[in-house]
């Protein structure tokens, strides 16, 4: 789909705006979105999951982050998490969005204790396998399932 | 210490710069959008302490972005050292800048730390090394926010994971003229890579300069992310070099020398005109029509923006005066070359 504004670039940003009960939708390229002042809506990508939340007062949660006092609504409105702990507290809410943005939900890059200058990095599969073992040990089965899916996908790719 | 853009790197006729940006946050503070001014100053203090008490201290300077003039602030944007967002609201923010301007640390932009390393030509690996080197200095005294699953935690989920954005600025005049860029870009964007025009306005910039950068930061390693950008850049370089053969040499020569003539003799020059003419001259250097050092061309682009040209006077000059000053500066810089 082409951007509604410049009609040249691909529309990758979907903006839904409700004013006085009237909902308008825009499909824009990132450049036009920024130009038109929608740059805070970084993660309202096409078919965005959070958009559905905006129109659903039923789900409106009273839960707040104990560290920074953000509600999930605050996060959606500002497009930003309030603090590191928000990722923990609103993990279930944010996970589908993370998946939409990155296609993945598990980090496979450097960690504070291991950096790139040191030895040859482990393969992505090795990293994920370790994480899978750890998740199972900690009885984090939901997370383990996610890791298992990613591993499967990765192995399929390698066998292609 | 000579500035980064005065060094010639690999393929620097086509590749203006290789940039790595790392987003990091300090443990124990909310993200900048939820911080009090006091907390912001405290983060600035912690980060400066880490750097200015390390052995790298003489290589860096501290810039209180809240105390410098608007002209100075925007000239930093034009030299690609800070984001426009960073200088739009300067309270509680600070910049730590390496003397050769190859490394900058924006403190309290969207994240506590935005570490940015710039390298001339195509060399993302080197840029990444430099960014990680200073990250290590900072994190030796400050624990960073990191999560087993999500990696480095950032204010916006789009940067989660590695927090790494690798971008290359590349000159693609021949492919642009042939009208094939849209098709190429469409294919590239399917690989999770974004492309946009830079220097000048619109999606087809007068500068014929494009920025290629990775979009995905979670579930991909640092090496893999830069490998993808590196490989796409190398393919673009190859395609651009082939594309140039589609043009009649005598016509190219005519374009290049007309551009050089105007740059060398004009008395008034707007930025948009400068971008166009510099692009033609850069092409002339790429294909061996003229011999002007690429660093001279880079310096003109980085120093004659709207703010840069006012820097010597440190006041906002009228457009007409700016255009005269710009033409004078360029004439002077190019007077040595024929
Ligand atoms: Zn557009
Ligand atoms: Zn929080």
């Amino acid at each position: 789909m082409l951007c509604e504004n410049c009609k040249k670039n691909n529309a990758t940003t979907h903006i839904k705006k409700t004013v006085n009960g009237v909902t308008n939708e825009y499909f824009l390229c990132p450049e036009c979105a920024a130009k038109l002042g929608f740059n805070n809506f970084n993660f309202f990508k096409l078919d965005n999951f959070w958009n559905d939340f905006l129109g659903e007062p039923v789900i409106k949660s009273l839960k707040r982050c104990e560290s920074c006092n953000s509600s999930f609504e605050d996060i959606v409105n500002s497009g930003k998490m309030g603090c590191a702990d928000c990722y923990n507290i609103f993990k279930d809410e944010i996970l589908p969005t993370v998946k939409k943005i990155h296609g993945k939900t598990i980090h496979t890059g450097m960690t504070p204790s291991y950096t790139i200058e040191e030895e040859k990095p482990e393969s992505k599969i090795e990293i994920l396998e370790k994480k899978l073992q750890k998740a199972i040990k900690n009885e984090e089965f939901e997370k383990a399932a996610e890791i298992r899916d990613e591993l499967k996908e990765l192995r399929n790719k390698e066998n292609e | 210490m000579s500035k980064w853009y005065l060094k010639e790197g690999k393929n620097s006729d086509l590749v203006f710069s290789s940039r790595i940006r790392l987003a990091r946050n300090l443990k124990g503070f909310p993200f900048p959008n939820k911080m009090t001014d006091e907390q912001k100053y405290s983060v600035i203090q912690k980060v400066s302490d880490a750097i200015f008490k390390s052995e790298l201290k003489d290589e860096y300077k501290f810039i209180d972005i809240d105390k410098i003039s608007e002209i100075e602030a925007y000239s930093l944007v034009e030299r690609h050292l800070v984001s426009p967002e960073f200088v739009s609201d300067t309270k509680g923010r600070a910049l730590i800048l390496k003397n050769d301007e190859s490394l900058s640390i924006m403190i309290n932009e969207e994240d506590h730390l935005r570490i940015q390393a710039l390298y001339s030509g195509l060399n993302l690996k080197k840029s990444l090394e430099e960014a990680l080197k200073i990250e290590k200095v900072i994190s030796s005294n400050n624990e960073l926010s990191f999560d087993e699953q999500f990696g480095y935690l950032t204010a916006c989920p789009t940067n989660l994971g590695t927090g790494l954005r690798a971008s290359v600025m590349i000159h693609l005049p021949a492919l642009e003229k042939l009208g094939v860029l849209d098709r190429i870009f469409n294919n590239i964007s399917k690989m999770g890579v974004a492309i946009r025009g830079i220097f000048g306005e619109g999606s087809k910039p007068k500068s014929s300069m494009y920025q290629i950068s990775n979009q995905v930061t979670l579930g991909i390693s640092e090496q893999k992310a830069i490998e993808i950008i590196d490989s796409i850049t190398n393919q673009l370089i190859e395609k651009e070099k082939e594309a140039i053969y589609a043009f009649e040499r005598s016509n190219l020569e005519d374009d290049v020398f007309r551009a050089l003539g105007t740059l060398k003799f004009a008395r008034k020059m707007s930025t948009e005109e400068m971008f166009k003419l510099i692009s033609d001259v850069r092409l002339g250097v790429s294909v061996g029509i003229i011999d002007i050092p690429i660093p001279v061309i880079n310096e003109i682009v980085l120093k004659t923006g709207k703010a840069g040209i006012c820097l010597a006077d440190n006041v906002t000059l009228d457009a007409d005066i700016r255009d005269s000053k710009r033409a004078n500066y360029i004439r002077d810089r190019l007077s040595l070359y024929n």
Side-chain angles (χ1 to χ4, degrees), chain B residues 138-151:
Chain B
I138 298 169
S139 63
S140 65
N141 296 357
N142 299 287
E143 198 177 339
L144 300 174
S145 280
F146 181 85
D147 177 81
E148 269 288 306
Q149 173 167 8
F150 289 144

Side-chain angles (χ1 to χ4, degrees), chain A residues 6 8-10 31 35 42-43 45 50 68-70 74 78-85 87-88 91 94-95 97-98 101-118 121 124 131 134 143 146 150, chain B residues 24 29-34 85 110 128-129 132-133 135-136 139 144-162 182 186 189 195-197 202-204 215-223 226:
Chain A
C6 65
K8 279 182 196 154
N9 304 329
N10 261 343
E31 217 167 279
K35 211 159 59 193
N42 281 342
F43 35 135
K45 304 276 176 187
W50 284 13
C68 73
N69 201 35
S70 292
D74 292 340
S78 69
K80 285 172 192 161
M81 309 298 272
C83 74
D85 294 330
Y87 278 105
N88 216 348
K91 192 166 183 171
I94 193 187
L95 213 49
T97 303
V98 170
I101 297 169
H102 299 285
K104 301 279 163 61
T105 54
I106 294 156
H107 177 59
T108 51
M110 283 172 23
T111 70
S113 51
Y114 144 73
T115 65
I116 202 162
E117 304 123 59
E118 290 155 17
K124 201 167 164 178
K131 285 191 176 176
K134 196 172 169 190
K143 187 173 159 189
E146 279 164 24
E150 264 183 49
Chain B
R24 295 288 187 263
F29 293 92
F31 297 141
N33 62 314
K34 280 277 178 182
E85 208 281 312
E110 187 179 285
L128 179 59
E129 275 169 26
L132 288 174
K133 189 171 145 194
E135 189 239 46
K136 252 197 160 164
S139 63
L144 300 174
S145 280
F146 181 85
D147 177 81
E148 269 288 306
Q149 173 167 8
F150 289 144
Y152 289 95
L153 299 176
T154 53
C156 185
T158 49
N159 298 311
L160 270 183
T162 57
D182 283 343
N186 249 321
S189 64
I195 297 174
R196 65 182 185 93
S203 57
K204 289 272 178 297
Q215 293 296 85
V216 170
T217 54
L218 185 67
I220 182 168
S221 71
E222 288 79 3
Q223 293 96 319
I226 67 173

Side-chain angles (χ1 to χ4, degrees), chain A:
Chain A
M1 179 186 287
L2 285 179
C3 167
E4 289 179 352
N5 190 49
C6 65
K7 301 192 170 61
K8 279 182 196 154
N9 304 329
N10 261 343
T12 52
T13 311
H14 178 201
I15 289 149
K16 224 184 211 177
K17 217 180 165 187
T18 307
V19 182
N20 299 330
V22 183
T23 303
N24 283 306
E25 286 185 76
Y26 309 91
F27 293 89
L28 302 169
C29 69
E31 217 167 279
C32 289
K35 211 159 59 193
L36 298 172
F38 292 116
N39 44 354
N40 273 337
F41 294 72
N42 281 342
F43 35 135
F44 287 81
K45 304 276 176 187
L46 276 181
D47 325 307
N48 194 289
F49 158 93
W50 284 13
N51 258 342
D52 304 336
F53 266 114
L54 286 173
E56 292 274 2
V58 192
I59 304 172
K60 205 164 168 181
S61 151
L62 295 174
K63 191 161 71 172
R64 280 183 180 274
C65 170
E66 280 168 29
S67 305
C68 73
N69 201 35
S70 292
S71 65
F72 187 59
E73 212 184 359
D74 292 340
I75 292 170
V76 171
N77 286 335
S78 69
K80 285 172 192 161
M81 309 298 272
C83 74
D85 294 330
C86 288
Y87 278 105
N88 216 348
I89 288 149
F90 301 108
K91 192 166 183 171
D92 293 341
E93 288 89 338
I94 193 187
L95 213 49
T97 303
V98 170
K99 175 106 184 152
K100 281 227 163 81
I101 297 169
H102 299 285
K104 301 279 163 61
T105 54
I106 294 156
H107 177 59
T108 51
M110 283 172 23
T111 70
S113 51
Y114 144 73
T115 65
I116 202 162
E117 304 123 59
E118 290 155 17
E119 304 158 50
K120 192 172 169 286
E122 299 168 86
S123 81
K124 201 167 164 178
I125 289 181
E126 285 172 275
I127 297 172
L128 285 178
E129 270 169 350
K130 273 189 194 161
K131 285 191 176 176
L132 177 61
Q133 290 312 319
K134 196 172 169 190
I136 292 171
K137 209 177 116 203
N138 296 339
E139 294 175 22
E140 298 170 291
F141 299 118
E142 228 175 299
K143 187 173 159 189
E146 279 164 24
I147 301 173
R148 203 191 45 227
D149 288 349
E150 264 183 49
L151 265 170
K152 209 164 134 193
E153 206 180 302
L154 212 63
R155 288 202 172 103
N156 284 341
K157 258 191 209 157
E158 290 209 337
N159 292 334
E160 262 169 26

Side-chain angles (χ1 to χ4, degrees), chain B residues 6-190:
Chain B
L6 297 179
K7 292 174 186 143
E8 218 155 333
K10 188 172 157 247
N11 291 112
S12 62
D13 57 327
L14 292 182
V15 180
F16 180 83
S17 67
S18 298
R19 170 163 58 171
I20 292 289
R21 188 223 63 197
L22 293 176
R24 295 288 187 263
N25 287 283
L26 268 52
K27 214 170 172 174
F29 293 92
F31 297 141
N33 62 314
K34 280 277 178 182
M35 280 165 105
T36 62
D37 287 345
E38 210 170 293
Q39 286 173 318
K40 286 183 181 175
Y41 293 123
S42 169
V43 166
I44 292 173
Q45 193 60 48
K46 278 171 171 289
V47 177
S48 333
D49 277 354
I51 290 170
F52 294 104
K53 285 177 183 165
S54 79
E55 54 190 29
L56 296 177
K57 63 175 187 294
D58 296 329
E59 291 174 36
Y60 287 85
K61 61 180 170 226
F62 180 87
I63 297 172
D64 188 344
I65 207 81
D66 211 21
K67 298 237 163 69
I68 64 175
S69 73
E70 221 175 309
I71 301 271
E72 286 169 310
Y74 280 96
S75 78
L76 293 168
V77 177
E78 288 173 355
R79 298 211 300 287
H80 301 206
L81 302 172
V82 300
S83 63
E85 208 281 312
F86 186 66
V87 295
S88 68
D89 179 12
T90 52
K91 198 164 169 28
R93 291 177 170 176
L95 176 69
I96 295 177
L97 184 61
K98 197 171 178 184
N99 296 329
D100 70 359
E101 300 189 354
S102 67
L103 202 133
S104 57
I105 304 161
M106 284 183 268
I107 308 177
N108 298 331
E109 205 235 33
E110 187 179 285
D111 294 299
H112 297 151
L113 300 172
R114 285 290 175 92
I115 301 171
Q116 181 197 274
L118 272 164
Y119 212 82
S120 176
L122 181 56
N123 204 340
L124 286 167
K125 198 165 165 267
K126 179 79 182 154
S127 300
L128 179 59
E129 275 169 26
E130 291 298 313
L132 288 174
K133 189 171 145 194
I134 199 74
E135 189 239 46
K136 252 197 160 164
V137 171
I138 298 169
S139 63
S140 65
N141 296 357
N142 299 287
E143 198 177 339
L144 300 174
S145 280
F146 181 85
D147 177 81
E148 269 288 306
Q149 173 167 8
F150 289 144
Y152 289 95
L153 299 176
T154 53
C156 185
T158 49
N159 298 311
L160 270 183
T162 57
L164 176 143
R165 193 81 63 211
S167 41
V168 162
M169 296 185 201
I170 185 168
H171 191 224
L172 302 170
L175 291 170
E176 186 188 81
K177 272 193 203 122
L178 290 177
V180 296
L181 277 183
D182 283 343
R183 192 170 45 82
I184 295 174
F185 289 178
N186 249 321
N187 289 335
I188 294 173
S189 64
K190 285 175 198 144

